[in-house]
Amino acid sequence: MLREMAVAAIRTSKLSKDYGHGHGLFELDLEVSPREVFGYLGPNGAGKSTTIRCLMGLIQPTFGSAFIFGLDCRRDSVAVKRKVGYLPGEMPQFGSLRGKEVIAYLGGMRGGVDPKLVRSIAERFSLDLGRRFREYSSGNKKKLGIVLAFMHKPDLLILDEPTGGLDPLNQQEFYKLVGETRDAGATIFLSSHILSEVEHVCDRVGIIRSGRLVKVADLDEIHRIRFHRLELEFAPGSEVPEAAIRSATGVEDVVVSDHTITCTMKGTFDPLLKALAGASVINLVSHEPSLEEIFLTYYRADETPEAIAR
Amino acid sequence: MTAIRLALRLGRWGLVGFATVSFIATFINCVGFYQVAGHTQAEREAFAKSFAQIASQLTVLLPPPVRLDTVGGYVQYRAYGSLVIVFAIWALASASGAARGDEDRGIVEMILATGLARAQAVAARIAGFAVASFAAALSASIGVILGAGAGGESFPTVPALEEAFLLAIFGLSCYSLVLLIAQLVAPRMATGVAGAVLLGLFLLNSLSRTFDSLATLRWLSPFRYSELSQPLAPSGNFDVRATLVLAGIAVAGGVLAALAFTHRDLGSALIALRGPARPPMYEPSRSLIWRIPVIRGIYDRRVGLTMWTAGVSVMAALFVVLTKTIVQPLLSIPGLATYFAAFIHGAVYPSFLSFIWFGFAQLLMSGFAIAQVARWAAEDTDGRLELILSNPVSRTQVLLERAAVLALGALIIAIVSGVAVGIESHYQSIDLDARRLAEASLLLVPFALVFAAVGALLSARLPRATVGILGAFAFASYLMLQFGPIFDLPAWVQDLSAFKLYGQPLTEGVDQTGLMITLAIAVAGFAASAVVMQRRDVGA
């Protein structure tokens, strides 16, 4: 355990998987510390799943290396997977097997599964293990994947877009589970393409774009990076506090049109809410920008990922 | 039109495969007729007389023949008798796949989301299969015309086209029936129930030839209407009314299937039988079976394995039952003398069983191995292998467990079918050496492993083409061994057959060299696939 604490939970060095035509993963240098929750953020096709498959030893890197708790992901893949719980981006088909049989089947291969833990996670997510896999909704399939990933109390969890298909209540339950698992001593590496999601649970975030890691940031920096597009509609005939809004910290790009104001908001909402004190707001719509919008806002559009990384 | 094109695209491999099989079946039987039936009218009449005796023993499977002394009559009986069964199986696989398989994969949902009405979606599928079915049936007719041409005769086009139309309409009627049944029952039961209904209709018609009590019910079976026409034989006929009934079944089945599809939920049956309400279950299965390597694989495949075992064993018993009644008529056909001389040494019946039954058993066993290889390829493409490999098991372990599951499955089939041969031969007073019967049965296991090893290697490189390549190789091997002597194929060509390695263990004992080569190929194949498996990307 002491040795594990000393080495990185995940370390990659120049890890590359070239699929040609600019697709793949290129020269990934990444280090995730033990007991850290690391969010791996990127738009679709950025290389998140490719990275995860390299870590799981499922695909052979074109170049570079990856280590989990000091073990080579390719050479020592069996030993690596003893320490890892894995949730794939899409659950495969198990046809007419029941949920309980899928768990027994894959748990039988792994060994060391705690039935009490299985029961507790299944109950927590209201997942009926007596039903057949083909009868499960996509959300229930994802829940089964979560049980499979967590059921043996792994040291490291590698989760590929874990909340896809889960409803908001189950997403919250999942975030709680991740927090508890981290508190119990595990490291968690999860991928997502939604910035607000990783904010909920992660200590640090790595942002990947076009196969290259462009940014590794802690939560404070993420909070600085993120912004919202706001649309405020005021009651007809009421006063629009344009000046107060323009002077509020974090508010930019203010456009006034009749009784509607659109603007972007960085950081916390507190200064804006203070500026709106006494105003008659009848509608407020907040849009979370996509990752691409964040990139275009914070980095010049013509800048290459390599340049951004520098 | 786009929906029909999509239906054709989804079924294109079925079309190519069944069109090829149909062509080969008719062409080879035409060429075979000229090889074995003789050249004078007297020789052909003698051949027809002997063959009619054999046919009289097979009425449980095939309708009575007409004019076996002509190439048309012979092909009508030998090729089209079996092609009717082949087209029914194709219709079963294709319709249950269209109704339920595509629904499981979300294809149906996507198609309906485009705004296509459900009735239109069903109509497009039926139209797609109709085109495929006509194309395959037409290729069978081309096989007849070319086969007759190879024998120096010209075959009239009209009967060939009538036969193509009849076969295609028959396939279409089966397709519509299966499509209808698939709407009515739970998705996981669709193929099984539809298969049981088609088998029931087949047996109803074929058994009615023997049991008069069933004759009043055979109007229910589309198989009945397909055999009322025999247009290829010179004195045969094309029954327009029977063909119209088949068309009526196709239309009525399609309309009812469309109605049922319109009124049911996607993923559910029209007639949903709800089980008793039960509280949700949160415990994993405590069964020990899932923890034991190999046994868990057998348990996972238990339904399929039971069907394979039962099917092969029933076929084995049937071959033994028929042996005594058909061997003598076959031996009396002069054209087959060279053929029989190739394998009958000493006792006739054991020799016949050794060559004919165990030759066919090899084909069935290669089919079993290919079915397992197809499952391995599917595990890779649908992501199941990725999840399996996320456990602390090496790729070599996965490969070895797959091979062991296949070997154990093949062993179960070999033992049960071997026992079936032993028991039935005892009842038929055919004297078989028990030790040699055991050896012949057990030798089917390494034979299956050869196909599995080659399949494992191929599926690592060409997962989508593996089943087709292996299936073609197995079928070609079978034909080379069974028909090589009839067509005077050179010895080196016959030696290319994988079946040659098996030898004649029931009559001549184990061919040690063949066994060693078989084992060497199996070991080398699995070793090579272990190396490839180690290096390849999974789930990419």
Coordinates of all heavy atoms in Angstrom, one line a residue, chain B residues 1-16 102 124-125 128-129 132 464:
Chain B
M1 N -39.1 2.9 -51.4 CA -38.0 2.3 -52.2 C -36.8 2.2 -51.4 O -36.0 1.2 -51.5 CB -37.8 3.1 -53.5 CG -37.1 2.4 -54.6 SD -38.1 0.9 -55.1 CE -36.8 0.0 -55.9
T2 N -36.5 3.3 -50.7 CA -35.3 3.3 -49.8 C -35.4 2.2 -48.8 O -34.4 1.5 -48.5 CB -35.2 4.7 -49.1 OG1 -35.3 5.7 -50.1 CG2 -33.8 4.8 -48.4
A3 N -36.6 2.0 -48.2 CA -36.7 0.9 -47.2 C -36.5 -0.4 -47.8 O -35.9 -1.3 -47.2 CB -38.1 1.0 -46.6
I4 N -36.9 -0.6 -49.1 CA -36.7 -1.9 -49.7 C -35.2 -2.1 -50.0 O -34.6 -3.2 -49.8 CB -37.5 -2.0 -51.1 CG1 -39.0 -1.9 -50.8 CG2 -37.1 -3.3 -51.8 CD1 -39.8 -1.9 -52.0
R5 N -34.5 -1.0 -50.4 CA -33.1 -1.1 -50.6 C -32.4 -1.5 -49.3 O -31.4 -2.3 -49.3 CB -32.6 0.2 -51.2 CG -32.7 0.3 -52.7 CD -31.7 1.3 -53.3 NE -31.8 2.6 -52.8 CZ -32.6 3.6 -53.3 NH1 -33.3 3.3 -54.4 NH2 -32.6 4.8 -52.8
L6 N -32.8 -0.8 -48.2 CA -32.2 -1.1 -46.9 C -32.4 -2.6 -46.6 O -31.5 -3.3 -46.1 CB -32.8 -0.2 -45.9 CG -32.3 -0.4 -44.4 CD1 -30.8 -0.1 -44.3 CD2 -33.1 0.4 -43.4
A7 N -33.7 -3.1 -46.8 CA -34.0 -4.5 -46.5 C -33.1 -5.4 -47.3 O -32.6 -6.4 -46.8 CB -35.5 -4.8 -46.8
L8 N -32.9 -5.1 -48.6 CA -32.0 -5.9 -49.4 C -30.5 -5.8 -48.9 O -29.8 -6.8 -48.9 CB -32.0 -5.4 -50.8 CG -33.2 -6.0 -51.7 CD1 -33.2 -5.3 -53.0 CD2 -32.9 -7.5 -51.9
R9 N -30.1 -4.6 -48.5 CA -28.8 -4.5 -48.0 C -28.5 -5.3 -46.7 O -27.5 -6.0 -46.6 CB -28.4 -3.0 -47.8 CG -27.0 -2.8 -47.3 CD -26.6 -1.3 -47.2 NE -25.4 -1.2 -46.4 CZ -24.2 -1.6 -46.8 NH1 -24.0 -2.1 -47.9 NH2 -23.2 -1.4 -46.0
L10 N -29.5 -5.2 -45.8 CA -29.4 -6.0 -44.6 C -29.4 -7.5 -44.8 O -28.8 -8.2 -44.0 CB -30.6 -5.6 -43.6 CG -30.5 -4.2 -43.0 CD1 -31.8 -3.9 -42.3 CD2 -29.4 -4.0 -42.1
G11 N -30.0 -7.9 -45.9 CA -30.0 -9.4 -46.2 C -29.1 -9.8 -47.3 O -29.3 -10.9 -47.9
R12 N -28.1 -9.0 -47.7 CA -27.4 -9.2 -48.9 C -26.5 -10.5 -48.8 O -26.4 -11.3 -49.7 CB -26.5 -8.1 -49.3 CG -25.4 -7.7 -48.3 CD -24.8 -6.3 -48.5 NE -23.7 -6.0 -47.7 CZ -23.7 -5.6 -46.5 NH1 -24.9 -5.5 -45.9 NH2 -22.7 -5.3 -45.8
W13 N -26.0 -10.8 -47.5 CA -25.2 -12.0 -47.4 C -26.0 -13.3 -47.5 O -25.6 -14.3 -48.0 CB -24.4 -12.0 -46.1 CG -23.3 -10.9 -46.2 CD1 -23.2 -9.8 -45.5 CD2 -22.2 -10.9 -47.1 NE1 -22.1 -9.0 -45.8 CE2 -21.4 -9.7 -46.8 CE3 -21.7 -11.8 -48.1 CZ2 -20.3 -9.4 -47.5 CZ3 -20.5 -11.4 -48.8 CH2 -19.8 -10.2 -48.5
G14 N -27.2 -13.2 -47.0 CA -28.2 -14.3 -47.1 C -28.5 -14.5 -48.6 O -28.5 -15.7 -49.0
L15 N -28.7 -13.5 -49.3 CA -29.0 -13.6 -50.8 C -27.8 -14.3 -51.5 O -28.0 -15.2 -52.2 CB -29.3 -12.2 -51.4 CG -29.3 -12.1 -52.9 CD1 -30.3 -13.0 -53.5 CD2 -29.5 -10.6 -53.3
V16 N -26.6 -13.7 -51.3 CA -25.4 -14.3 -51.9 C -25.2 -15.8 -51.6 O -25.1 -16.6 -52.4 CB -24.2 -13.5 -51.6 CG1 -22.9 -14.1 -52.1 CG2 -24.3 -12.0 -52.1
D102 N -33.3 -7.1 -35.6 CA -33.1 -5.7 -36.0 C -33.8 -4.8 -34.9 O -33.4 -3.7 -34.7 CB -33.7 -5.4 -37.4 CG -32.8 -6.0 -38.4 OD1 -31.8 -6.6 -38.1 OD2 -33.2 -6.0 -39.6
A124 N -41.9 -3.4 -46.8 CA -40.6 -3.2 -47.4 C -39.7 -4.5 -47.1 O -39.0 -4.9 -48.0 CB -39.9 -2.0 -46.8
R125 N -39.9 -5.0 -45.9 CA -39.1 -6.2 -45.6 C -39.5 -7.4 -46.5 O -38.7 -8.2 -47.0 CB -39.3 -6.6 -44.1 CG -38.4 -5.7 -43.2 CD -37.0 -5.8 -43.7 NE -36.0 -5.1 -43.0 CZ -35.3 -5.5 -42.0 NH1 -35.4 -6.7 -41.5 NH2 -34.4 -4.8 -41.5
G128 N -38.3 -6.9 -49.9 CA -36.8 -7.2 -49.9 C -36.6 -8.7 -50.0 O -35.8 -9.1 -50.8
F129 N -37.3 -9.4 -49.2 CA -37.1 -10.9 -49.2 C -37.6 -11.5 -50.5 O -37.0 -12.4 -51.0 CB -37.7 -11.6 -48.0 CG -37.4 -13.0 -47.9 CD1 -36.2 -13.5 -47.4 CD2 -38.3 -14.0 -48.4 CE1 -35.9 -14.8 -47.3 CE2 -38.0 -15.3 -48.4 CZ -36.8 -15.7 -47.8
A132 N -34.9 -11.1 -53.0 CA -33.8 -12.0 -52.7 C -34.2 -13.5 -53.0 O -33.4 -14.2 -53.6 CB -33.4 -11.9 -51.3
R464 N -15.8 -10.4 -40.2 CA -17.1 -10.5 -40.9 C -17.1 -11.6 -41.9 O -18.2 -12.1 -42.3 CB -17.3 -9.1 -41.6 CG -17.7 -8.0 -40.6 CD -17.9 -6.7 -41.3 NE -18.1 -5.7 -40.3 CZ -19.2 -5.4 -39.6 NH1 -20.2 -6.1 -39.8 NH2 -19.2 -4.4 -38.7

